[in-house]
Amino acid sequence: MYDVSKIREDFPILSRTVYGKPLIYLDNAATTQKPRQVVESISDEYYSVNANVHRGVHFLSQQATELHEGSRETVRRFINARSVSEVVFTRGTTESINLVASSFAGGLMKPGDEVIVSVMEHHSNIVPWQLQAERFGIVLKVIPMDEKGELLLDEYEKLFSERTRLVSVTHVSNVLGTVNPVKRMIGMAHAKGVPVLIDGAQSIPHIPVDVQELDADFYVFSGHKIYGPTGIGVLYGKEKWLDRLPPYQGGGEMIQKVTFEKTTFNELPFKFEAGTPDYIGSTALAKALDYVSAIGMEQIAEYEHGLTRYAMSRMKEIKGMRIFGEAEQKSGVISFLVGNIHHFDMGTLLDRLGIAVRTGHHCAEPLMHRLGIEGTVRASFALYNTKEEIDTLVSGIERVSRMFC
Ligand code: PMP
């Protein structure tokens, strides 16, 4: 039984008020709220274990190292990676993509080589490639989509050439909610010998992810979107690729031997983890993964699917409602506009009713151009949201709409 009221008790922030109204937090695609278990893990570790990890001979350092490396194992299990060597801790999705873009382009690509992305990418899966395009003369190709917000796989197939070196696409769109058929897309790329990076920022909190089942070459995500802390995230990479990539940053931890003449690098995953890692964050991230695992990712997916279906049907009842993203496979992200009301006005007035939504281009300007709009209002759901909150959102939107008539 999915007990949402019990789950809500773990998130103290959900019982606060804003402007005297109960908070209705529907900005989960930007970041999620944290359960007690995660917040307490941070203070507990600072209070009772804190010491720098790896190589320390003293008790605390060893204990901190055990926690940090234990968290890597928790991540491995959560995404079903083959080995902990394939789990690199980063600052988040953005840093993970920058790492791959920089090392892949710098180490394995030549001018004129191509990377395929999609029209619905977040800026963090566009700009890192453009930076490399400028440095190394690589070329970006873009998968188009249809009116429902589904990628056109026939067009995708046509984008491959002799020069395609990598595909980098999002699992779930942070604007449209589209769940892309990444397993199929990976299969199509592999048939041409091309590896694939999946941006899992919006999928990891909502659907079960098995990197081996998907056969993803790289899978990246952020801790803060899955009820963990900010400042920590993950780059999963198949060992055969991580082995071939040159290091991203230099410094402590990532070396084996340093002389002024030559430096050799540490084994995986440490080769990509220069400097003191966020060992407090990794423990808290593991707590977040334990938290969702205890509820069950399948159960969460099913619950959120129900919420999304309910919200879609209720929101469509609203006069003048335009919803962007009607894919068959859709997660709990609903982007919309009502009549001629500016997204910013809608967001600001909903906020006064205690409803937190996001407005703007959602860091996906090329997608906004494709849709022919400047921005949307976006409501995005998490495991603690309820149908009652959706009812309040719907009556809030109706109330704001009436003000503009
Ligand atoms: N990709 C997608 C699809 C996202 O939604 C986001 C966050 N909005 C990112 C990447 C970037 O994540 P972060 O800012 O945590 O690095």
Side-chain angles (χ1 to χ4, degrees):
M1 259 302 279
Y2 194 92
D3 189 347
V4 71
S5 11
K6 191 157 166 294
I7 289 172
R8 288 177 71 87
E9 285 171 13
D10 291 328
F11 294 81
I13 203 170
L14 297 179
S15 46
R16 70 162 287 178
T17 55
V18 289
Y19 309 113
K21 308 265 184 340
L23 168 70
I24 295 186
Y25 186 78
L26 300 176
D27 192 17
N28 295 287
T31 200
T32 50
Q33 300 302 344
K34 319 303 169 199
R36 262 177 233 286
Q37 292 83 336
V38 167
V39 179
E40 284 167 8
S41 147
I42 296 169
S43 51
D44 286 352
E45 192 171 350
Y46 272 125
Y47 282 142
S48 58
V49 186
N50 183 47
N52 207 334
V53 292
H54 302 143
R55 301 176 316 276
V57 290
H58 63 83
F59 185 88
L60 286 188
S61 174
Q62 289 185 13
Q63 204 175 10
T65 304
E66 271 167 33
L67 281 172
H68 182 59
E69 293 307 324
S71 304
R72 202 188 298 278
E73 167 58 20
T74 303
V75 174
R76 184 206 66 71
R77 212 177 323 118
F78 190 73
I79 58 173
N80 193 31
R82 225 168 31 82
S83 141
V84 283
S85 313
E86 300 182 321
V87 177
V88 177
F89 284 122
T90 63
R91 282 196 302 121
T93 307
T94 303
E95 189 176 52
S96 298
I97 298 176
N98 274 278
L99 188 164
V100 176
S102 168
S103 293
F104 207 100
L108 305 179
M109 292 175 84
K110 299 208 163 47
D113 281 351
E114 297 166 356
V115 174
I116 297 176
V117 296
S118 87
V119 68
M120 64 177 76
E121 298 310 315
H122 187 279
H123 294 162
S124 61
N125 195 22
I126 300 173
V127 185
W129 300 108
Q130 288 175 330
L131 293 177
Q132 301 312 322
E134 277 169 26
R135 287 176 71 195
F136 299 109
I138 63 172
V139 178
L140 222 51
K141 290 191 158 179
V142 183
I143 314 166
M145 66 176 202
D146 64 16
E147 292 310 306
K148 279 160 66 181
E150 292 179 344
L151 292 178
L152 297 170
L153 295 193
D154 292 350
E155 299 300 319
Y156 168 56
E157 178 99 54
K158 287 186 210 151
L159 292 179
F160 286 89
S161 80
E162 311 268 87
R163 304 301 301 268
T164 311
R165 294 289 169 266
L166 190 75
V167 173
S168 190
V169 287
T170 194
H171 197 162
V172 171
S173 161
N174 67 314
V175 176
L176 308 166
T178 309
V179 183
N180 287 317
V182 290
K183 185 168 179 189
R184 190 157 159 220
M185 294 174 76
I186 291 168
M188 288 163 74
H190 285 178
K192 298 173 194 300
V194 175
V196 182
L197 180 151
I198 302 295
D199 172 351
Q202 297 295 344
S203 44
I204 202 84
H206 306 297
I207 49 183
V209 169
D210 179 330
V211 290
Q212 291 192 71
E213 206 247 332
L214 290 176
D215 204 15
D217 300 279
F218 302 98
Y219 200 98
V220 302
F221 65 92
S222 303
H224 71 98
K225 300 215 195 246
I226 183 161
Y227 315 101
T230 52
I232 185 135
V234 169
L235 160 64
Y236 158 79
K238 279 186 189 163
E239 209 164 315
K240 70 168 183 188
W241 284 110
L242 293 181
D243 264 338
R244 290 179 64 194
L245 296 186
Y248 174 52
Q249 294 181 324
E253 300 269 351
M254 53 77 73
I255 53 89
Q256 196 174 53
K257 205 148 191 51
V258 180
T259 65
F260 278 111
E261 287 68 44
K262 188 174 166 53
T263 290
T264 51
F265 304 119
N266 205 341
E267 61 194 20
L268 290 175
F270 308 109
K271 179 173 105 176
F272 293 106
E273 294 182 350
T276 298
D278 183 2
Y279 52 86
I280 303 282
S282 62
T283 312
L285 171 60
K287 287 276 187 266
L289 300 184
D290 287 344
Y291 183 85
V292 291
S293 300
I295 299 170
M297 284 311 297
E298 297 281 358
Q299 284 71 12
I300 292 171
E302 197 185 315
Y303 177 75
E304 291 182 355
H305 187 61
L307 273 187
T308 309
R309 276 218 319 265
Y310 180 71
M312 285 291 277
S313 74
R314 291 269 1 246
M315 285 170 74
K316 281 180 182 173
E317 292 164 9
I318 299 170
K319 209 166 139 238
M321 171 62 70
R322 265 202 301 163
I323 290 176
F324 300 90
E326 302 238 21
E328 293 302 323
Q329 301 296 322
K330 182 175 165 82
S331 87
V333 176
I334 303 184
S335 276
F336 65 94
L337 289 171
V338 183
N340 293 326
I341 305 170
H342 195 274
H343 50 88
F344 183 75
D345 292 335
M346 177 63 83
T348 309
L349 291 165
L350 287 176
D351 178 51
R352 287 278 155 182
L353 301 172
I355 305 168
V357 290
R358 188 147 291 245
T359 62
H361 54 57
H362 315 297
C363 297
E365 284 194 60
L367 176 58
M368 294 298 129
H369 295 159
R370 163 66 179 80
L371 295 169
I373 52 177
E374 272 176 28
T376 70
V377 188
R378 181 184 73 185
S380 51
F381 310 128
L383 54 77
Y384 40 63
N385 289 123
T386 63
K387 284 190 174 169
E388 292 71 33
E389 289 181 313
I390 288 165
D391 291 338
T392 312
L393 169 71
V394 169
S395 51
I397 297 171
E398 282 169 337
R399 193 164 150 193
V400 174
S401 306
R402 279 196 300 274
M403 289 166 67
F404 283 84
C405 281

